[in-house]
Amino acid sequence: MPLAVYILGLSVFALGTSEFMLSGLLPAVADDMHVSIPRAGLLISAFAVGMVVGAPLLAVATLRLPRRTTLIALISVFGLGQIAGALAPNYAVLFVSRVVSALACAGFWAVGAAVAVAMVPVNARARALAVMIGGLSIANVLGVPAGAFLGESLGWRSAFWAVGAASAVALVGVATLIPRIPLPDGKPRLRDELRIYRDRQVWLTISLIAFSAGGVFCAFSYLAPLLTDVSGLDEGWVPAVLALFGIGALIGTTIGGRIADAHLFGVLLSGIAASTVLLVALALLAQYAVAAALLAFLLGVSAFYTAPALNARLFNVATAAPTLAAATTTAAFNLGNTGGPWIGGAAIDAGLGFASPAWAGAALTVAAGVLTAISLRLYRRGTSSRVVTRATPRIEDGENGAKIAPEIQA
Protein backbone atom coordinates (compact mmCIF):
# COMPACT_ATOMS: atom_id res chain seq x y z
CA MET A 1 0.00 0.00 0.00
CA PRO A 2 1.56 3.36 -1.01
CA LEU A 3 2.67 5.64 1.83
CA ALA A 4 0.41 8.40 0.50
CA VAL A 5 -2.65 6.28 1.30
CA TYR A 6 -1.62 6.13 4.97
CA ILE A 7 -1.04 9.90 5.01
CA LEU A 8 -4.58 10.35 3.72
CA GLY A 9 -5.81 8.05 6.49
CA LEU A 10 -4.03 10.17 9.10
CA SER A 11 -5.65 13.30 7.67
CA VAL A 12 -9.06 11.65 7.84
CA PHE A 13 -8.47 11.20 11.57
CA ALA A 14 -8.78 14.98 12.04
CA LEU A 15 -11.76 15.18 9.69
CA GLY A 16 -13.56 12.31 11.38
CA THR A 17 -12.98 13.63 14.88
CA SER A 18 -14.67 16.90 13.97
CA GLU A 19 -17.52 15.18 12.17
CA PHE A 20 -18.53 12.89 15.03
CA MET A 21 -17.28 14.53 18.23
CA LEU A 22 -20.50 16.48 18.71
CA SER A 23 -22.21 13.22 19.62
CA GLY A 24 -20.40 13.44 22.98
CA LEU A 25 -20.74 17.22 23.31
CA LEU A 26 -24.43 17.77 22.57
CA PRO A 27 -25.58 18.37 26.17
CA ALA A 28 -22.78 20.90 26.82
CA VAL A 29 -23.28 22.70 23.50
CA ALA A 30 -27.06 22.83 23.99
CA ASP A 31 -26.65 24.28 27.48
CA ASP A 32 -24.06 26.89 26.45
CA MET A 33 -25.96 27.97 23.32
CA HIS A 34 -29.35 27.90 25.10
CA VAL A 35 -30.97 25.48 22.62
CA SER A 36 -32.61 22.06 22.94
CA ILE A 37 -30.65 18.86 22.44
CA PRO A 38 -32.51 18.05 19.17
CA ARG A 39 -31.63 21.53 17.87
CA ALA A 40 -28.03 21.05 18.90
CA GLY A 41 -28.20 17.74 17.04
CA LEU A 42 -28.88 19.74 13.87
CA LEU A 43 -25.22 20.79 14.03
CA ILE A 44 -24.44 17.18 13.12
CA SER A 45 -26.92 17.39 10.26
CA ALA A 46 -25.42 20.74 9.19
CA PHE A 47 -22.02 19.10 8.81
CA ALA A 48 -23.59 16.26 6.85
CA VAL A 49 -25.47 18.68 4.55
CA GLY A 50 -22.20 20.48 3.85
CA MET A 51 -20.65 17.12 2.97
CA VAL A 52 -23.53 16.22 0.64
CA VAL A 53 -23.31 19.54 -1.22
CA GLY A 54 -19.56 19.98 -1.01
CA ALA A 55 -18.43 16.58 -2.29
CA PRO A 56 -19.77 16.81 -5.87
CA LEU A 57 -19.42 20.60 -6.02
CA LEU A 58 -15.74 20.63 -5.08
CA ALA A 59 -15.02 17.51 -7.11
CA VAL A 60 -16.26 19.33 -10.21
CA ALA A 61 -14.54 22.61 -9.29
CA THR A 62 -11.16 20.92 -8.76
CA LEU A 63 -11.38 18.33 -11.53
CA ARG A 64 -8.48 19.87 -13.50
CA LEU A 65 -6.41 21.12 -10.56
CA PRO A 66 -3.28 19.41 -9.16
CA ARG A 67 -4.36 16.96 -6.50
CA ARG A 68 -1.75 17.75 -3.84
CA THR A 69 -2.40 21.50 -4.09
CA THR A 70 -6.13 20.86 -3.80
CA LEU A 71 -5.68 18.69 -0.71
CA ILE A 72 -3.46 21.33 0.94
CA ALA A 73 -6.05 24.06 0.31
CA LEU A 74 -8.94 21.97 1.61
CA ILE A 75 -7.27 20.84 4.85
CA SER A 76 -6.28 24.47 5.50
CA VAL A 77 -9.87 25.70 5.13
CA PHE A 78 -11.05 22.86 7.33
CA GLY A 79 -8.63 23.87 10.10
CA LEU A 80 -9.79 27.48 9.93
CA GLY A 81 -13.38 26.25 10.26
CA GLN A 82 -12.48 24.53 13.52
CA ILE A 83 -11.01 27.76 14.88
CA ALA A 84 -14.18 29.63 13.89
CA GLY A 85 -16.25 27.02 15.75
CA ALA A 86 -14.10 27.37 18.85
CA LEU A 87 -14.63 31.14 18.84
CA ALA A 88 -18.34 31.07 17.87
CA PRO A 89 -20.30 33.57 20.02
CA ASN A 90 -23.71 32.06 19.23
CA TYR A 91 -25.50 29.11 17.66
CA ALA A 92 -25.79 30.71 14.20
CA VAL A 93 -22.04 31.27 13.87
CA LEU A 94 -21.32 27.75 15.10
CA PHE A 95 -23.81 26.39 12.56
CA VAL A 96 -22.12 28.25 9.69
CA SER A 97 -18.66 27.13 10.82
CA ARG A 98 -19.84 23.52 10.71
CA VAL A 99 -21.11 23.92 7.15
CA VAL A 100 -17.87 25.55 5.96
CA SER A 101 -15.78 22.85 7.65
CA ALA A 102 -17.96 20.19 6.06
CA LEU A 103 -17.50 21.63 2.57
CA ALA A 104 -13.73 21.41 2.96
CA CYS A 105 -13.99 17.96 4.54
CA ALA A 106 -16.14 16.70 1.67
CA GLY A 107 -13.72 17.98 -0.93
CA PHE A 108 -10.80 16.34 0.86
CA TRP A 109 -12.62 13.00 1.08
CA ALA A 110 -13.57 13.09 -2.61
CA VAL A 111 -10.14 14.03 -3.93
CA GLY A 112 -8.27 11.88 -1.42
CA ALA A 113 -10.36 8.78 -2.12
CA ALA A 114 -9.92 9.21 -5.88
CA VAL A 115 -6.14 9.38 -5.42
CA ALA A 116 -6.09 6.38 -3.07
CA VAL A 117 -8.15 4.20 -5.41
CA ALA A 118 -6.14 5.20 -8.48
CA MET A 119 -2.84 4.20 -6.86
CA VAL A 120 -3.80 0.54 -6.33
CA PRO A 121 -5.13 -2.34 -8.47
CA VAL A 122 -8.89 -2.66 -8.75
CA ASN A 123 -8.86 -5.79 -6.60
CA ALA A 124 -7.23 -3.80 -3.77
CA ARG A 125 -9.68 -0.89 -3.75
CA ALA A 126 -11.53 -1.95 -0.61
CA ARG A 127 -8.24 -2.33 1.26
CA ALA A 128 -7.02 1.12 0.16
CA LEU A 129 -10.33 2.68 1.16
CA ALA A 130 -10.20 0.73 4.43
CA VAL A 131 -6.95 2.55 5.26
CA MET A 132 -8.69 5.90 4.82
CA ILE A 133 -11.77 4.71 6.70
CA GLY A 134 -9.36 3.43 9.35
CA GLY A 135 -8.51 7.06 10.06
CA LEU A 136 -12.20 7.60 10.69
CA SER A 137 -12.32 4.56 12.95
CA ILE A 138 -9.33 5.76 14.97
CA ALA A 139 -11.08 9.11 15.27
CA ASN A 140 -13.95 7.26 16.92
CA VAL A 141 -11.57 5.31 19.16
CA LEU A 142 -9.41 8.25 20.25
CA GLY A 143 -10.61 11.54 18.82
CA VAL A 144 -14.30 11.46 19.70
CA PRO A 145 -13.84 10.20 23.29
CA ALA A 146 -10.96 12.66 23.74
CA GLY A 147 -13.26 15.44 22.52
CA ALA A 148 -15.90 14.37 25.03
CA PHE A 149 -13.26 14.27 27.78
CA LEU A 150 -12.01 17.74 26.87
CA GLY A 151 -15.61 18.95 26.80
CA GLU A 152 -16.15 17.65 30.32
CA SER A 153 -12.83 18.99 31.64
CA LEU A 154 -12.18 22.25 29.76
CA GLY A 155 -15.45 23.04 28.00
CA TRP A 156 -16.71 21.98 24.59
CA ARG A 157 -14.74 24.71 22.78
CA SER A 158 -11.46 23.05 23.74
CA ALA A 159 -12.41 20.08 21.54
CA PHE A 160 -12.60 22.38 18.52
CA TRP A 161 -9.18 23.85 19.34
CA ALA A 162 -7.75 20.33 19.56
CA VAL A 163 -9.11 19.40 16.13
CA GLY A 164 -7.68 22.62 14.75
CA ALA A 165 -4.26 21.56 16.02
CA ALA A 166 -4.69 18.07 14.52
CA SER A 167 -5.58 19.70 11.20
CA ALA A 168 -2.32 21.63 11.27
CA VAL A 169 -0.39 18.38 11.74
CA ALA A 170 -2.33 16.82 8.84
CA LEU A 171 -1.50 19.85 6.68
CA VAL A 172 2.21 19.32 7.26
CA GLY A 173 1.90 15.64 6.37
CA VAL A 174 -0.01 16.30 3.14
CA ALA A 175 2.37 19.08 2.06
CA THR A 176 5.55 17.10 2.70
CA LEU A 177 4.74 13.43 2.18
CA ILE A 178 2.13 13.18 -0.58
CA PRO A 179 4.01 13.19 -3.89
CA ARG A 180 3.34 15.68 -6.65
CA ILE A 181 1.14 14.03 -9.25
CA PRO A 182 1.79 15.28 -12.81
CA LEU A 183 -1.02 16.54 -15.00
CA PRO A 184 -2.26 13.95 -17.51
CA ASP A 185 -1.88 14.46 -21.25
CA GLY A 186 -5.62 14.63 -21.68
CA LYS A 187 -7.69 16.84 -19.38
CA PRO A 188 -10.54 15.04 -17.59
CA ARG A 189 -13.89 16.11 -18.96
CA LEU A 190 -16.89 16.64 -16.72
CA ARG A 191 -19.34 15.52 -19.39
CA ASP A 192 -17.65 12.13 -19.60
CA GLU A 193 -17.72 11.62 -15.83
CA LEU A 194 -21.38 12.66 -15.59
CA ARG A 195 -22.32 9.63 -17.72
CA ILE A 196 -22.20 7.43 -14.62
CA TYR A 197 -25.52 8.90 -13.48
CA ARG A 198 -27.32 7.13 -16.33
CA ASP A 199 -26.66 3.80 -14.62
CA ARG A 200 -29.38 2.49 -12.30
CA GLN A 201 -26.81 0.47 -10.34
CA VAL A 202 -25.13 3.77 -9.41
CA TRP A 203 -28.42 5.13 -8.05
CA LEU A 204 -29.17 1.88 -6.24
CA THR A 205 -25.76 2.03 -4.57
CA ILE A 206 -26.21 5.68 -3.60
CA SER A 207 -29.54 4.80 -1.99
CA LEU A 208 -28.33 1.77 -0.07
CA ILE A 209 -25.32 3.72 1.25
CA ALA A 210 -27.59 6.55 2.41
CA PHE A 211 -30.05 4.23 4.17
CA SER A 212 -27.29 2.16 5.76
CA ALA A 213 -25.41 5.19 7.12
CA GLY A 214 -28.64 6.93 8.12
CA GLY A 215 -29.79 3.97 10.17
CA VAL A 216 -26.61 3.78 12.23
CA PHE A 217 -26.16 7.50 12.79
CA CYS A 218 -29.82 8.04 13.55
CA ALA A 219 -29.07 6.20 16.80
CA PHE A 220 -25.40 7.13 17.27
CA SER A 221 -26.06 10.89 17.11
CA TYR A 222 -28.17 10.67 20.29
CA LEU A 223 -26.09 8.06 22.08
CA ALA A 224 -24.92 10.48 24.80
CA PRO A 225 -28.41 11.47 26.05
CA LEU A 226 -29.53 7.84 25.67
CA LEU A 227 -26.74 6.70 27.98
CA THR A 228 -27.34 9.38 30.61
CA ASP A 229 -31.16 9.64 30.56
CA VAL A 230 -32.20 6.04 29.74
CA SER A 231 -29.27 3.85 30.78
CA GLY A 232 -28.62 5.96 33.88
CA LEU A 233 -24.87 6.32 33.31
CA ASP A 234 -22.97 9.27 34.73
CA GLU A 235 -21.78 11.76 32.10
CA GLY A 236 -18.20 10.76 32.87
CA TRP A 237 -18.84 7.32 31.35
CA VAL A 238 -19.99 8.68 27.99
CA PRO A 239 -16.43 9.05 26.54
CA ALA A 240 -15.69 5.44 27.49
CA VAL A 241 -18.77 4.13 25.65
CA LEU A 242 -17.96 6.29 22.64
CA ALA A 243 -14.47 4.78 22.71
CA LEU A 244 -16.05 1.31 22.68
CA PHE A 245 -18.00 2.28 19.56
CA GLY A 246 -14.74 3.49 18.02
CA ILE A 247 -12.87 0.30 18.92
CA GLY A 248 -15.67 -1.67 17.32
CA ALA A 249 -15.44 0.57 14.25
CA LEU A 250 -11.69 -0.08 13.93
CA ILE A 251 -12.22 -3.84 14.24
CA GLY A 252 -15.07 -3.76 11.72
CA THR A 253 -13.06 -1.71 9.22
CA THR A 254 -10.10 -4.09 9.50
CA ILE A 255 -12.20 -7.21 8.95
CA GLY A 256 -14.39 -5.70 6.23
CA GLY A 257 -11.43 -4.24 4.37
CA ARG A 258 -9.71 -7.62 4.23
CA ILE A 259 -12.62 -9.63 2.83
CA ALA A 260 -14.78 -7.11 0.93
CA ASP A 261 -12.77 -7.30 -2.31
CA ALA A 262 -13.51 -11.04 -2.57
CA HIS A 263 -16.99 -11.17 -0.98
CA LEU A 264 -18.45 -7.70 -1.47
CA PHE A 265 -22.17 -8.51 -1.42
CA GLY A 266 -21.71 -11.04 1.37
CA VAL A 267 -20.17 -8.31 3.52
CA LEU A 268 -22.95 -5.87 2.66
CA LEU A 269 -25.82 -8.23 3.41
CA SER A 270 -24.38 -9.68 6.61
CA GLY A 271 -23.23 -6.31 7.97
CA ILE A 272 -26.50 -4.49 7.30
CA ALA A 273 -28.51 -7.38 8.79
CA ALA A 274 -26.31 -7.31 11.92
CA SER A 275 -26.77 -3.55 12.30
CA THR A 276 -30.55 -3.97 12.10
CA VAL A 277 -30.58 -6.61 14.85
CA LEU A 278 -28.28 -4.53 17.06
CA LEU A 279 -30.37 -1.37 16.68
CA VAL A 280 -33.52 -3.25 17.69
CA ALA A 281 -31.67 -4.71 20.68
CA LEU A 282 -30.45 -1.24 21.68
CA ALA A 283 -33.99 0.11 21.60
CA LEU A 284 -35.24 -2.77 23.76
CA LEU A 285 -32.34 -2.95 26.23
CA ALA A 286 -31.24 0.68 26.53
CA GLN A 287 -32.28 0.87 30.18
CA TYR A 288 -29.51 -1.59 31.05
CA ALA A 289 -26.19 0.25 31.10
CA VAL A 290 -23.98 -2.79 30.45
CA ALA A 291 -26.15 -3.93 27.55
CA ALA A 292 -26.17 -0.43 26.02
CA ALA A 293 -22.38 -0.20 26.19
CA LEU A 294 -21.91 -3.66 24.67
CA LEU A 295 -24.40 -2.93 21.89
CA ALA A 296 -22.63 0.37 21.11
CA PHE A 297 -19.40 -1.60 20.62
CA LEU A 298 -21.06 -4.20 18.39
CA LEU A 299 -22.84 -1.51 16.38
CA GLY A 300 -19.46 0.08 15.69
CA VAL A 301 -18.23 -3.29 14.40
CA SER A 302 -21.20 -3.91 12.11
CA ALA A 303 -21.44 -0.37 10.75
CA PHE A 304 -17.78 -0.05 9.80
CA TYR A 305 -17.51 -3.68 8.68
CA THR A 306 -19.67 -2.69 5.70
CA ALA A 307 -17.99 0.68 5.05
CA PRO A 308 -15.13 -0.54 2.78
CA ALA A 309 -17.60 -2.62 0.76
CA LEU A 310 -20.01 0.30 0.39
CA ASN A 311 -17.19 2.53 -0.84
CA ALA A 312 -15.77 -0.10 -3.19
CA ARG A 313 -19.19 -0.94 -4.64
CA LEU A 314 -19.74 2.58 -5.94
CA PHE A 315 -16.23 2.72 -7.40
CA ASN A 316 -16.88 -0.62 -9.12
CA VAL A 317 -20.05 0.63 -10.82
CA ALA A 318 -18.60 4.07 -11.63
CA THR A 319 -15.08 3.20 -12.77
CA ALA A 320 -15.27 5.63 -15.70
CA ALA A 321 -15.49 8.60 -13.30
CA PRO A 322 -13.12 8.10 -10.34
CA THR A 323 -13.37 11.68 -9.07
CA LEU A 324 -17.16 11.88 -9.22
CA ALA A 325 -17.39 8.33 -7.85
CA ALA A 326 -15.48 9.42 -4.76
CA ALA A 327 -17.59 12.56 -4.44
CA THR A 328 -20.81 10.62 -4.92
CA THR A 329 -19.81 8.09 -2.27
CA THR A 330 -19.09 10.89 0.20
CA ALA A 331 -22.39 12.57 -0.63
CA ALA A 332 -24.31 9.31 -0.26
CA PHE A 333 -22.86 8.57 3.18
CA ASN A 334 -23.71 12.07 4.31
CA LEU A 335 -27.22 11.96 2.93
CA GLY A 336 -27.63 9.28 5.56
CA ASN A 337 -25.73 11.30 8.15
CA THR A 338 -28.07 14.22 7.43
CA GLY A 339 -31.35 12.34 7.41
CA GLY A 340 -30.51 10.00 10.27
CA PRO A 341 -29.98 12.64 12.99
CA TRP A 342 -32.96 14.63 11.66
CA ILE A 343 -35.25 11.59 11.87
CA GLY A 344 -33.89 10.72 15.32
CA GLY A 345 -34.43 14.29 16.53
CA ALA A 346 -37.97 14.30 15.14
CA ALA A 347 -38.73 11.10 17.03
CA ILE A 348 -37.44 12.65 20.26
CA ASP A 349 -39.40 15.87 19.67
CA ALA A 350 -42.52 13.75 19.16
CA GLY A 351 -42.15 12.56 22.73
CA LEU A 352 -41.07 9.01 21.88
CA GLY A 353 -37.99 9.13 24.11
CA PHE A 354 -34.26 8.84 23.59
CA ALA A 355 -34.56 5.15 22.62
CA SER A 356 -36.76 5.98 19.63
CA PRO A 357 -33.86 6.87 17.26
CA ALA A 358 -32.70 3.23 17.52
CA TRP A 359 -36.10 2.02 16.29
CA ALA A 360 -36.05 4.54 13.45
CA GLY A 361 -32.50 3.53 12.58
CA ALA A 362 -33.51 -0.13 12.35
CA ALA A 363 -36.23 0.76 9.85
CA LEU A 364 -33.65 2.57 7.70
CA THR A 365 -31.22 -0.36 7.72
CA VAL A 366 -34.01 -2.73 6.71
CA ALA A 367 -34.54 -0.53 3.64
CA ALA A 368 -30.78 -0.66 2.98
CA GLY A 369 -30.87 -4.46 3.08
CA VAL A 370 -33.71 -4.58 0.56
CA LEU A 371 -31.83 -2.27 -1.82
CA THR A 372 -28.69 -4.40 -1.48
CA ALA A 373 -30.66 -7.51 -2.42
CA ILE A 374 -32.06 -5.74 -5.50
CA SER A 375 -28.59 -4.59 -6.53
CA LEU A 376 -27.24 -8.14 -6.15
CA ARG A 377 -30.10 -9.52 -8.24
CA LEU A 378 -29.34 -7.07 -11.07
CA TYR A 379 -25.63 -7.82 -10.84
CA ARG A 380 -26.24 -11.58 -11.16
CA ARG A 381 -28.38 -10.94 -14.23
CA GLY A 382 -25.40 -9.16 -15.79
CA THR A 383 -27.22 -5.82 -16.13
CA SER A 384 -24.83 -3.71 -14.05
CA SER A 385 -22.88 -0.70 -15.22
CA ARG A 386 -23.48 -0.78 -18.97
CA VAL A 387 -22.69 2.93 -19.14
CA VAL A 388 -19.38 2.40 -17.37
CA THR A 389 -18.46 -0.55 -19.56
CA ARG A 390 -19.00 1.45 -22.74
CA ALA A 391 -17.02 4.37 -21.36
CA THR A 392 -13.97 2.32 -20.32
CA PRO A 393 -13.74 -0.99 -22.16
CA ARG A 394 -10.39 -1.86 -20.51
CA ILE A 395 -11.99 -1.97 -17.07
CA GLU A 396 -13.87 -5.11 -16.14
CA ASP A 397 -17.08 -4.42 -14.21
CA GLY A 398 -17.23 -6.87 -11.37
CA GLU A 399 -16.66 -7.26 -7.69
CA ASN A 400 -13.06 -8.39 -8.13
CA GLY A 401 -12.55 -6.35 -11.26
CA ALA A 402 -9.50 -5.93 -13.45
CA LYS A 403 -5.94 -5.94 -12.26
CA ILE A 404 -5.16 -2.51 -13.74
CA ALA A 405 -6.35 0.65 -12.05
CA PRO A 406 -7.18 3.81 -14.03
CA GLU A 407 -4.50 6.45 -14.16
CA ILE A 408 -4.37 9.02 -11.37
CA GLN A 409 -6.23 12.18 -12.32
CA ALA A 410 -3.94 15.10 -11.53
Side-chain angles (χ1 to χ4, degrees):
M1 196 63 59
L3 175 62
V5 176
Y6 291 98
I7 297 304
L8 293 170
L10 289 172
S11 302
V12 167
F13 169 78
L15 305 179
T17 299
S18 178
E19 183 172 4
F20 298 121
M21 68 181 181
L22 277 182
S23 297
L25 300 173
L26 281 185
V29 172
D31 183 62
D32 189 37
M33 294 295 178
H34 307 292
V35 297
S36 66
I37 285 181
R39 191 178 180 197
L42 290 179
L43 293 169
I44 299 173
S45 294
F47 198 99
V49 168
M51 292 280 283
V52 170
V53 175
L57 183 65
L58 287 168
V60 170
T62 64
L63 192 61
R64 299 187 180 188
L65 298 179
R67 288 303 182 224
R68 187 177 68 174
T69 302
T70 301
L71 291 173
I72 289 172
L74 291 170
I75 196 68
S76 299
V77 172
F78 176 81
L80 293 174
Q82 302 310 297
I83 295 173
L87 298 173
N90 53 51
Y91 178 84
V93 173
L94 181 59
F95 191 95
V96 171
S97 76
R98 295 294 288 169
V99 174
V100 171
S101 296
L103 290 172
C105 180
F108 192 98
W109 262 106
V111 176
V115 170
V117 165
M119 287 191 294
V120 299
V122 175
N123 62 347
R125 283 174 171 172
R127 279 185 288 147
L129 291 167
V131 172
M132 287 191 66
I133 298 167
L136 191 62
S137 301
I138 295 172
N140 279 286
V141 174
L142 299 176
V144 174
F149 176 78
L150 286 174
E152 288 290 323
S153 305
L154 303 174
W156 64 268
R157 296 176 189 272
S158 63
F160 281 80
W161 285 113
V163 175
S167 303
V169 174
L171 172 61
V172 173
V174 170
T176 59
L177 297 176
I178 289 187
R180 181 182 178 276
I181 302 171
L183 290 169
D185 294 333
K187 299 281 188 180
R189 294 192 302 173
L190 177 61
R191 185 172 66 180
D192 291 342
E193 294 220 354
L194 287 173
R195 294 181 65 190
I196 65 171
Y197 296 120
R198 297 187 209 168
D199 189 344
R200 59 180 171 179
Q201 279 282 35
V202 170
W203 288 106
L204 265 175
T205 306
I206 291 170
S207 300
L208 74 90
I209 289 173
F211 278 103
S212 177
V216 172
F217 287 99
C218 181
F220 178 76
S221 297
Y222 299 97
L223 189 57
L226 174 75
L227 293 171
T228 55
D229 288 30
V230 179
S231 302
L233 283 175
D234 185 83
E235 288 183 355
W237 284 100
V238 171
V241 178
L242 293 176
L244 282 176
F245 179 90
I247 293 170
L250 185 57
I251 294 171
T253 301
T254 302
I255 298 172
R258 287 184 178 275
I259 65 177
D261 286 305
H263 307 284
L264 192 144
F265 278 105
V267 169
L268 290 178
L269 291 170
S270 60
I272 291 171
S275 292
T276 302
V277 172
L278 292 169
L279 286 167
V280 171
L282 182 62
L284 294 172
L285 303 174
Q287 67 268 33
Y288 304 108
V290 174
L294 177 61
L295 289 168
F297 165 75
L298 294 174
L299 187 61
V301 175
S302 66
F304 282 79
Y305 166 74
T306 60
L310 290 168
N311 277 273
R313 177 61 185 158
L314 195 46
F315 275 101
N316 285 350
V317 297
T319 302
T323 304
L324 275 185
T328 303
T329 304
T330 301
F333 271 105
N334 285 280
L335 279 172
N337 293 351
T338 302
W342 180 82
I343 291 171
I348 295 170
D349 279 337
L352 300 178
F354 286 119
S356 60
W359 285 113
L364 293 173
T365 55
V366 167
V370 171
L371 291 170
T372 304
I374 294 172
S375 182
L376 174 59
R377 184 179 180 85
L378 291 175
Y379 171 70
R380 285 177 171 170
R381 287 180 175 179
T383 59
S384 63
S385 298
R386 289 172 295 177
V387 170
V388 171
T389 302
R390 288 199 302 270
T392 54
R394 290 192 305 125
I395 301 296
E396 175 187 338
D397 178 45
E399 299 319 308
N400 293 316
K403 300 296 183 182
I404 300 174
E407 294 181 358
I408 298 174
Q409 301 294 321

mmCIF file of all heavy atoms in Angstrom, residues 148-159:
data_model
loop_
_atom_site.group_PDB
_atom_site.id
_atom_site.type_symbol
_atom_site.label_atom_id
_atom_site.label_comp_id
_atom_site.label_asym_id
_atom_site.label_seq_id
_atom_site.Cartn_x
_atom_site.Cartn_y
_atom_site.Cartn_z
ATOM 1 N N ALA A 148 -14.935 14.395 23.931
ATOM 2 C CA ALA A 148 -15.902 14.370 25.031
ATOM 3 C C ALA A 148 -15.212 14.630 26.372
ATOM 4 O O ALA A 148 -15.737 15.346 27.230
ATOM 5 C CB ALA A 148 -16.629 13.030 25.057
ATOM 6 N N PHE A 149 -14.018 14.051 26.540
ATOM 7 C CA PHE A 149 -13.258 14.269 27.778
ATOM 8 C C PHE A 149 -12.857 15.736 27.921
ATOM 9 O O PHE A 149 -12.993 16.324 29.007
ATOM 10 C CB PHE A 149 -12.018 13.380 27.792
ATOM 11 C CG PHE A 149 -11.134 13.602 28.978
ATOM 12 C CD1 PHE A 149 -11.460 13.068 30.218
ATOM 13 C CD2 PHE A 149 -9.978 14.363 28.866
ATOM 14 C CE1 PHE A 149 -10.643 13.282 31.329
ATOM 15 C CE2 PHE A 149 -9.151 14.585 29.962
ATOM 16 C CZ PHE A 149 -9.487 14.042 31.200
ATOM 17 N N LEU A 150 -12.365 16.317 26.834
ATOM 18 C CA LEU A 150 -12.013 17.743 26.874
ATOM 19 C C LEU A 150 -13.243 18.591 27.165
ATOM 20 O O LEU A 150 -13.167 19.584 27.903
ATOM 21 C CB LEU A 150 -11.388 18.162 25.541
ATOM 22 C CG LEU A 150 -9.959 17.700 25.269
ATOM 23 C CD1 LEU A 150 -9.546 18.064 23.842
ATOM 24 C CD2 LEU A 150 -8.993 18.334 26.273
ATOM 25 N N GLY A 151 -14.381 18.196 26.551
ATOM 26 C CA GLY A 151 -15.609 18.947 26.798
ATOM 27 C C GLY A 151 -16.008 18.922 28.259
ATOM 28 O O GLY A 151 -16.464 19.927 28.812
ATOM 29 N N GLU A 152 -15.826 17.767 28.904
ATOM 30 C CA GLU A 152 -16.146 17.646 30.319
ATOM 31 C C GLU A 152 -15.158 18.422 31.187
ATOM 32 O O GLU A 152 -15.538 19.015 32.204
ATOM 33 C CB GLU A 152 -16.120 16.170 30.730
ATOM 34 C CG GLU A 152 -17.282 15.347 30.209
ATOM 35 C CD GLU A 152 -18.592 15.725 30.873
ATOM 36 O OE1 GLU A 152 -18.589 16.030 32.088
ATOM 37 O OE2 GLU A 152 -19.623 15.736 30.180
ATOM 38 N N SER A 153 -13.887 18.424 30.792
ATOM 39 C CA SER A 153 -12.830 18.994 31.638
ATOM 40 C C SER A 153 -12.602 20.483 31.392
ATOM 41 O O SER A 153 -12.473 21.262 32.345
ATOM 42 C CB SER A 153 -11.509 18.236 31.402
ATOM 43 O OG SER A 153 -11.673 16.856 31.601
ATOM 44 N N LEU A 154 -12.562 20.879 30.107
ATOM 45 C CA LEU A 154 -12.179 22.253 29.762
ATOM 46 C C LEU A 154 -13.251 23.004 28.974
ATOM 47 O O LEU A 154 -13.014 24.133 28.558
ATOM 48 C CB LEU A 154 -10.875 22.229 28.946
ATOM 49 C CG LEU A 154 -9.663 21.552 29.613
ATOM 50 C CD1 LEU A 154 -8.496 21.473 28.633
ATOM 51 C CD2 LEU A 154 -9.255 22.317 30.867
ATOM 52 N N GLY A 155 -14.399 22.388 28.788
ATOM 53 C CA GLY A 155 -15.446 23.038 27.998
ATOM 54 C C GLY A 155 -15.428 22.541 26.562
ATOM 55 O O GLY A 155 -14.380 22.152 26.034
ATOM 56 N N TRP A 156 -16.588 22.552 25.916
ATOM 57 C CA TRP A 156 -16.712 21.976 24.587
ATOM 58 C C TRP A 156 -15.855 22.680 23.547
ATOM 59 O O TRP A 156 -15.419 22.080 22.562
ATOM 60 C CB TRP A 156 -18.169 21.963 24.136
ATOM 61 C CG TRP A 156 -18.799 23.324 23.962
ATOM 62 C CD1 TRP A 156 -19.500 24.026 24.892
ATOM 63 C CD2 TRP A 156 -18.799 24.117 22.771
ATOM 64 N NE1 TRP A 156 -19.929 25.230 24.372
ATOM 65 C CE2 TRP A 156 -19.515 25.308 23.062
ATOM 66 C CE3 TRP A 156 -18.268 23.963 21.497
ATOM 67 C CZ2 TRP A 156 -19.708 26.325 22.135
ATOM 68 C CZ3 TRP A 156 -18.459 24.978 20.557
ATOM 69 C CH2 TRP A 156 -19.171 26.133 20.878
ATOM 70 N N ARG A 157 -15.545 23.977 23.763
ATOM 71 C CA ARG A 157 -14.742 24.709 22.784
ATOM 72 C C ARG A 157 -13.321 24.162 22.679
ATOM 73 O O ARG A 157 -12.691 24.243 21.616
ATOM 74 C CB ARG A 157 -14.709 26.191 23.135
ATOM 75 C CG ARG A 157 -16.079 26.872 23.055
ATOM 76 C CD ARG A 157 -16.022 28.334 23.516
ATOM 77 N NE ARG A 157 -17.354 28.896 23.639
ATOM 78 C CZ ARG A 157 -18.015 29.483 22.646
ATOM 79 N NH1 ARG A 157 -17.440 29.581 21.451
ATOM 80 N NH2 ARG A 157 -19.221 29.965 22.841
ATOM 81 N N SER A 158 -12.822 23.589 23.763
ATOM 82 C CA SER A 158 -11.461 23.051 23.735
ATOM 83 C C SER A 158 -11.343 21.902 22.735
ATOM 84 O O SER A 158 -10.270 21.681 22.159
ATOM 85 C CB SER A 158 -11.057 22.574 25.135
ATOM 86 O OG SER A 158 -11.880 21.504 25.574
ATOM 87 N N ALA A 159 -12.432 21.172 22.516
ATOM 88 C CA ALA A 159 -12.407 20.080 21.545
ATOM 89 C C ALA A 159 -12.185 20.624 20.134
ATOM 90 O O ALA A 159 -11.463 20.026 19.323
ATOM 91 C CB ALA A 159 -13.707 19.287 21.615
#
